[in-house]
Amino acid sequence: MLHEMVSLSAGSFPSELELRREKQELWDCIREPTPTKGFFEGFSNYFDSMEKRPATIIASDGQFLRTPSIEDLIAYGEKQVQSQGRAVPKSMLTPEATIRRAQWIRGQPEIDDKSSWDSWVGNWIGLALPPGERKATRDPVTQGGAPVPSVQMFLNEGPTGPGGAFIALTYITRPVPNLNGMALAQEDTMFLRRVILEPKSMRPISAGHAWVAMSSDSSIPPRTLESHDYIFEWNPPLVESSPSDSMPKAGLDAFRQNRLPDAMDSFLEAVQNGTRNPDTFAYLAEASRRQGLVGEGALFAKRALELNPRHSMAHTVLASCFDDQLSPWPLTSIDSTRTHSLQAVACDSTDGNAWMGLVARRWIQPDLSRRSLAKLLETGFLTEHVQAYGRWMLHDLPESTVLITNGDLDTYPAWALQAIRGLRPDIAVLNYQMIRLAWYLRRARDDMRVPLPFPDQALDSLGSAENAAQLNQRILHEWQSARASGGFRRPLAVAISVPAQDLPPGLLDRAALIGGAYLCGAQSSAVLVDTTTIRKGLALVRPEEFAGPGVSDRDWSPIRRNASPLSENVLKTWLLYVDTLGSAGRTNDARKAFAQASDFARKTTVTPALMIEVSKLKARYGP
């Protein structure tokens, strides 16, 4: 499965749109033996990392206009190599340019791009196909630059009632004689393409295609050979007209304060009074889901989508309702979770809530995961505050540490800093709440080389509903025990954001505080506070980086909005460092450290309870 991001933005001239693919598959254009496979794998990986490639130009009414020429693509590749010469030697462009200029491939990008776009959009422009009906044609399709006879079937899956709109189109082509140039013995292939449309503007929201093998033996079910999903990211995002009735302020305030029963009462009252505001239904859906009323939450989210099919929050809520790993609903479905997660970011590419909902899905592919983390930074959803905390937390960890984090705001920034900023990629950052999931443990083992304490065949039973409640504690205990016996060779650390009462008993007895984490030792720790390492980390802390908000103003999660600012963890560590220096008789050092801690407290948000601790130390080490 390949998830390919597609952006669609205003072009250079009126009535033109620019279509860009975030991922380019070079193998699609290789039709005969050429230089070594390893060469192209390396070159393809390089091109995968590039952004802002030359765009395909589409008219605003959906008509295909033109695509980048071979020379455009080669010139762009040369420019990229010049700016990133260390990534790919310039000499590698020569055979690539030769291949792209070859007679047998020169015209294919234009032909293939136009054929693909017409299949998605052009074929239904002006198509007289009422909702609920289908139409068969025998028009040839273009494959590899040549027409292939085929039967095409269009199905308008929109509503059939009065006022029905063109919601979705399934486009089927059969037969296709081969797949990527390889003949299929005893099998025929069918090509399916599905487009989801925005009802009012008729613009595509998402699209996908699949190759399905059909056996000549009717007892053998069809099997999917290859499938691709595309997300159209509109810039600026499509926005529905403002509803005539606004959300109830009392309900929104209660939701943001995590007073969910009060929020539900307010939203339900608005519903009973006939509101048609999709935001009200989306917030009511999330409030219901968070209180365990998952079925009701799904119904309210679907009502929001009836009012606004491009409501990002409603799709995000439905993805959580259908989540087969974490939702208690009996109607969970990985396919539905995947569909609504992808729709959420397609509907509003600036919504960090939707992008965050994508990152930790078990079906997500690395390219889309990285894209999601980049979006969390690009949109400012991960604020400078939480990014600064992530840098501080990761900075002084030993090489190849396995770090256990707690929640969204200490986990996602660390992942984003690693994947997008290249900060400490040697560290395996594992979320404590997720290590109870079998698929997540396997990913930690396979992708991050973290040894597991149980054999593979035992993971599924250990992660079953009846066993999973305290599985994360058990796994962390086994890792620590393996550290003591020498069976777990990587350093093990637990972020200070993980509540001590949630950890296995006795774990912190063999751990030393080094800053933003406790470093677990093989034996009982003689040094409970590593003042040397803490001092190095605190020397890099800039109060102004923590002065801003800990959560984005667009973050609608009541849990994240009501969490204590992460700057408090920094200040608590600072105060403990001061007290440790003073207890060791290093009074002058303690006074200097307290002055720095006081400056940090003045410039950041500090709760009254923590200010009391500051005042206590001020009496001993203040001016």
Side-chain angles (χ1 to χ4, degrees), residues 454-476:
F454 307 112
D456 187 88
Q457 59 270 24
L459 290 179
D460 292 314
S461 60
L462 288 168
S464 61
E466 59 272 20
N467 294 327
Q470 294 181 327
L471 180 59
N472 49 1
Q473 282 197 13
R474 182 177 175 188
I475 289 173
L476 193 52

Side-chain angles (χ1 to χ4, degrees), residues 32 70 97-109 111:
E32 65 182 30
I70 292 295
T98 301
I99 292 169
R100 285 185 173 272
R101 291 189 176 108
Q103 188 64 36
W104 50 272
I105 195 175
R106 175 177 287 276
Q108 286 183 17
I111 295 172

Side-chain angles (χ1 to χ4, degrees), residues 7 15 36 40 49 57 97 103 137 155 163 200 210 243 283 333 362 379 443 458 480 496 503 533 562-563 594:
S7 64
S15 302
T36 67
F40 279 106
S49 67
I57 306 301
Q103 188 64 36
T137 70
L155 294 84
K200 291 186 178 180
Y283 273 90
S333 163
R362 65 172 173 169
T379 61
R443 183 170 294 177
Q480 176 66 340
I496 60 176
L503 295 171
T533 304
N562 287 277
F594 179 77

Side-chain angles (χ1 to χ4, degrees), residues 176-238:
V176 178
N178 60 65
L179 176 66
N180 293 338
M182 297 180 291
L184 298 171
Q186 303 299 318
E187 285 186 328
D188 189 11
T189 57
M190 181 168 63
F191 180 70
L192 300 94
R193 196 184 293 276
R194 179 178 175 86
V195 183
I196 309 295
L197 307 173
E198 200 281 324
K200 291 186 178 180
S201 68
M202 298 289 284
R203 291 173 171 174
I205 298 172
S206 67
H209 71 257
W211 299 92
V212 180
M214 310 291 292
S215 173
S216 57
D217 185 347
S218 59
S219 64
I220 301 177
R223 59 189 180 91
T224 300
L225 299 170
E226 178 183 359
S227 62
H228 296 250
D229 288 287
Y230 303 86
I231 303 172
F232 289 84
E233 189 178 306
W234 295 87
N235 182 20
L238 295 178

Side-chain angles (χ1 to χ4, degrees), residues 356 359-360 369 373 376-377 382 386-387 389-391 393-394 403-420 423-424 427-435 440 448 494-499 516 550 560 566 569:
M356 185 172 280
V359 176
S369 177
L373 291 169
L376 291 176
L377 295 175
L382 294 179
V386 298
Q387 292 183 54
Y389 185 84
R391 290 192 292 270
M393 180 178 64
L394 294 174
L403 173 65
I404 307 300
T405 54
N406 182 50
D408 295 347
L409 296 180
D410 62 344
T411 303
Y412 288 93
W415 287 346
L417 291 170
Q418 289 180 307
I420 309 304
L423 178 67
R424 297 301 306 268
I427 297 173
V429 178
L430 303 181
N431 182 271
Y432 190 45
Q433 308 306 320
M434 294 185 67
I435 60 174
Y440 186 73
M448 293 179 273
V494 178
I496 60 176
S497 48
V498 182
R560 292 193 291 266
L566 290 174
N569 287 346

